[in-house]
Amino acid sequence: MLNIDIATIVIIAANVIISMKGFNDIAFFNKYKFNISGIRHGEQIRMFSSAFLHADFSHLLFNMLTLYFFAPVVINSIGVTFFVVIYVVSLLAGNLLSFYFHKDEPHYSAIGASGAVMGILYSAILFHPNMGLYLFFIPIAIPAWLFGVAYLLYSIFGMKKRLGNVGHDAHIGGALGGYALTLMFVPSLFTTSLWIVVLLAVPLIILFIMHKLGKI
């Protein structure tokens, strides 16, 4: 079992308690989910509260397990205070990017901690790019840097094609938040791990270019 910090326990507990409330109270769920119309009418709390709601137990479990495994990597590398800052800023970055891309869709809604969790995941990848990740149905470990680049590219494709009921833009926004803050807090990574800093930036540059060209 991993040595889990109290901050991670508090975050996971908050997600579980608020998500369970949302599972059983549809009015509560609708009041605090990410919704473009609600936010445009002044309900900015949705930008934050929506990240503690989940669609179902499997959605909640996946996000919390990912956080459980990667939070210690970030905490051990940068400390608990910076970990919490990265989590919260990535959460907001994910929802801000979603708002930017869907601002003209009043009925667009979303929920989940994926943006915040992706920020923690990408921070962990910057610190330990060669750690092995085991994914479903793949019996061998995949280098974290390969997963990071591939997932961002898939998220860009998912945004363009609107694949599934998934907030691909929130994933990218969260990853961007974790990436940027980690480099801000630990600028020495530009010297010690320049290759991974550049490599993880490539999908973000592709997204920027595609957006400028009106392709996404």
Side-chain angles (χ1 to χ4, degrees):
M1 180 177 291
L2 296 176
N3 183 19
I4 187 168
D5 191 273
I6 185 64
T8 309
I9 295 174
V10 169
I11 291 172
I12 291 176
N15 273 276
V16 171
I17 292 169
I18 295 172
S19 290
M20 293 297 288
K21 171 69 173 174
F23 294 159
N24 298 299
D25 186 340
I26 190 63
F28 177 87
F29 183 89
N30 287 332
K31 181 177 181 179
Y32 292 108
K33 69 181 180 180
F34 180 95
N35 174 262
I36 295 295
S37 180
I39 293 169
R40 290 180 74 93
H41 284 87
E43 298 171 3
Q44 276 77 26
I45 186 63
R46 293 175 182 266
M47 296 287 285
F48 183 76
S49 61
S50 59
F52 293 89
L53 293 168
H54 289 81
D56 50 39
F57 185 74
S58 62
H59 184 205
L60 172 64
L61 181 63
F62 180 81
N63 276 335
M64 293 305 99
L65 278 176
T66 304
L67 179 63
Y68 172 79
F69 285 116
F70 290 99
V73 177
V74 178
I75 291 172
N76 292 335
S77 300
I78 203 172
V80 67
T81 301
F82 286 148
F83 159 75
V84 173
V85 172
I86 290 172
Y87 186 91
V88 173
V89 172
S90 297
L91 179 163
L92 294 173
N95 281 340
L96 282 170
L97 194 65
S98 288
F99 184 84
Y100 176 78
F101 278 107
H102 299 283
K103 59 183 178 293
D104 296 322
E105 304 170 42
H107 298 295
Y108 181 84
S109 297
I111 37 90
S114 298
V117 172
M118 290 301 294
I120 296 301
L121 173 60
Y122 277 83
S123 178
I125 291 172
L126 281 169
F127 288 119
H128 295 286
N130 290 313
M131 62 181 170
L133 303 183
Y134 287 90
L135 305 180
F136 299 114
F137 309 117
I138 301 178
I140 59 174
I142 297 175
W145 66 265
L146 178 59
F147 172 81
V149 172
Y151 194 86
L152 273 187
L153 291 174
Y154 168 75
S155 294
I156 293 171
F157 179 75
M159 283 179 64
K160 181 175 176 59
K161 298 296 184 181
R162 300 225 169 185
L163 295 177
N165 188 26
V166 179
H168 298 288
D169 32 30
H171 293 174
I172 295 173
L176 175 59
Y179 174 86
L181 274 185
T182 300
L183 294 176
M184 184 185 303
F185 293 149
V186 191
S188 60
L189 287 168
F190 283 106
T191 301
T192 60
S193 302
L194 181 60
W195 71 275
I196 190 61
V197 172
V198 172
L199 193 60
L200 286 181
V202 170
L204 300 174
I205 294 170
I206 290 173
L207 174 64
F208 177 79
I209 293 173
M210 290 179 66
H211 180 57
K212 282 296 184 181
L213 294 176
K215 302 294 185 180
I216 195 169

